[in-house]
Structures are given as structure tokens and as C-alpha cells.
Amino acid sequence: MSSSPLSLKRRSLLIGCGALVLMSDRAMAAPAAPRRLTLTNQHTGETFDGPYRDADGPLPDAMADLAKFLRDHRANKEGPVDVGTLDFLADILEAVGQSKATILSAFRTPETNAMLAARSLGVAEHSQHLLGRALDVTLPSRLPDAHRSALDLKRGGVGWYPRSHFLHIDTGPLRSWEMFGQNLDGLFAPGARSTRLRTVSQRMQLHRAIARRQMLGRK
């Protein structure tokens, strides 16, 4: 389908906005009305409150604001903004009747990822956060319902952390897991399951790998 002059203009504006905007196949069809998000960054106290896309595509000013809002606050570096992940969050909020969310983790630089990996088993080497395709969020209420809605949407990865009261979502491979729960097979992408482990050392290696993929959902 050919692009209209307006959408071509929007593309030009997006190129000039200074943010790397990702339009993956997980991004939803153009909305009839502008889509909005109301977000607070737990670490910086910054907020984003407004539309981020309309029928012509992502809004350039909003993408620039979101790139800053979702930046790696430790390194103070901005990363890509994945519209599909924003749509995923917006649809979850709509499904559970919530108007706002708090962002706990978004884009992460390789340096920050390596630092966190050295401190914790719960940081994956090839995290979706490195690609700007993952969010860890919490809501004022109905977080368990948000978890179920995220699973129903089938947009990518969904990690549930009831003890820490947050939800991980990403637009990577379709999978799900629960920290301190069951269904740990969901941590692995299809076809990636290990063969039977015979030694204690091999089992301990798998245990550490599960913990690394499982904790904090930054997969």
C-alpha cells in the first residue's frame, strides 16, 4: 500500500526528531483517535502525559520526549523507542481500566546491563531492554488483571513478579514466566529447551540460567 503525502511528511519529521523510532510488526494498526499514555519514571520522577501516535503514525515531538523519558538513567543515554511496546502497554491499561503506569525499567545500555549482570543473576545478557523493546511497569491497582490481559494479548514476553509488584512486557518472542512461581519453561524461546542434565554441575548451571532470565524480567 502506498503512503499518503501526509504519512511521508510524518516520516520526514520522525527522521528529524532526534529519536530512533521502531515500528515493529507488533505495533497495532493506525488508531482512529490519538493514543495516549500517562507515565511516571520511578527513578527520575519525570512524567510523560499525552498522545504518542495518531492515524498518521508516531508523533515526532512525543517520540523525542519518550526517548528522553525512557532513557537509561544511570548512563543518561537515550535509546530506541519501540511503538509496538508502547501499544502493548496502552492496550493493557485500557483492558484493565487504568489511566496511568509507573515505569521501573526501560532502555538499558550495554554498559549498564553488564554492571547489573555483575551484581545480580537476574539480568539477561541479551535483554530486550537493550533494544528498547521492553518495559517493567507497575500500576496503582489491578496489576494481577494486567498480567492476565498481557498474556491474552499475545504480543511478546510477559513476566509476572507478584512479590515485587511489577510486570515485565516486551515485543520479543512470545513467552511468559512467573518469578517465584511455576511455568519456568516459558523463559525459553521455542526450540531452546535444554537436553536432560545428568550432573550436579549441569543442573546448577541451568538453575543459574533460569534465575538470570527470570528475575526482573529484563529479557
Side-chain angles (χ1 to χ4, degrees):
M1 182 173 64
S2 62
S3 299
S4 68
L6 183 57
S7 63
L8 289 173
K9 179 180 179 182
R10 179 64 58 84
R11 289 184 183 185
S12 298
L13 291 172
L14 285 169
I15 291 172
C17 78
L20 175 58
V21 180
L22 305 179
M23 287 292 291
S24 66
D25 57 1
R26 301 293 172 87
M28 301 307 292
R35 302 213 69 181
R36 302 179 59 91
L37 283 168
T38 300
L39 308 172
T40 300
N41 187 307
Q42 176 174 274
H43 300 286
T44 66
E46 296 168 353
T47 60
F48 175 86
D49 185 4
Y52 66 92
R53 68 177 300 195
D54 61 15
D56 294 312
L59 299 168
D61 288 346
M63 294 297 105
D65 290 343
L66 282 163
K68 180 180 180 182
F69 174 80
L70 299 172
R71 72 189 182 280
D72 180 335
H73 70 278
R74 294 179 177 86
N76 198 31
K77 291 184 179 179
E78 298 177 8
V81 178
D82 180 40
V83 178
T85 307
L86 299 176
D87 284 345
F88 195 2
L89 176 58
D91 286 338
I92 292 168
L93 293 174
E94 182 177 350
V96 299
Q98 295 294 295
S99 61
K100 60 185 67 176
T102 297
I103 303 297
L104 309 181
S105 180
F107 171 69
R108 192 185 307 139
T109 62
E111 294 80 8
T112 293
N113 196 68
M115 179 269 291
L116 294 174
R119 295 180 179 180
S120 171
L121 289 175
V123 178
E125 182 180 358
H126 301 293
S127 169
Q128 293 293 326
H129 288 274
L130 291 165
L131 306 175
R133 297 174 62 184
L135 296 171
D136 294 344
V137 304
T138 189
L139 309 181
S141 62
R142 300 196 65 187
L143 193 61
D145 294 334
H147 169 231
R148 289 188 287 272
S149 295
L151 293 173
D152 291 342
L153 288 168
K154 300 185 187 303
R155 300 275 182 82
V158 178
W160 173 227
Y161 300 82
R163 295 187 185 181
S164 299
H165 196 68
F166 77 88
L167 180 68
H168 167 98
I169 59 172
D170 67 56
T171 51
L174 186 64
R175 67 216 188 283
S176 63
W177 62 94
E178 180 177 339
M179 186 61 178
F180 302 121
Q182 300 180 7
N183 303 320
L184 297 185
D185 285 347
L187 292 170
F188 300 97
R193 292 188 185 181
S194 173
T195 57
R196 184 174 180 180
L197 304 174
R198 298 181 180 276
T199 69
V200 172
S201 176
Q202 287 175 318
R203 291 174 182 173
M204 288 299 295
Q205 283 183 333
L206 177 60
H207 177 79
R208 287 192 291 269
I210 288 174
R212 185 178 291 278
R213 289 185 174 221
Q214 184 180 26
M215 191 174 178
L216 301 181
R218 293 157 187 168
K219 322 310 171 258

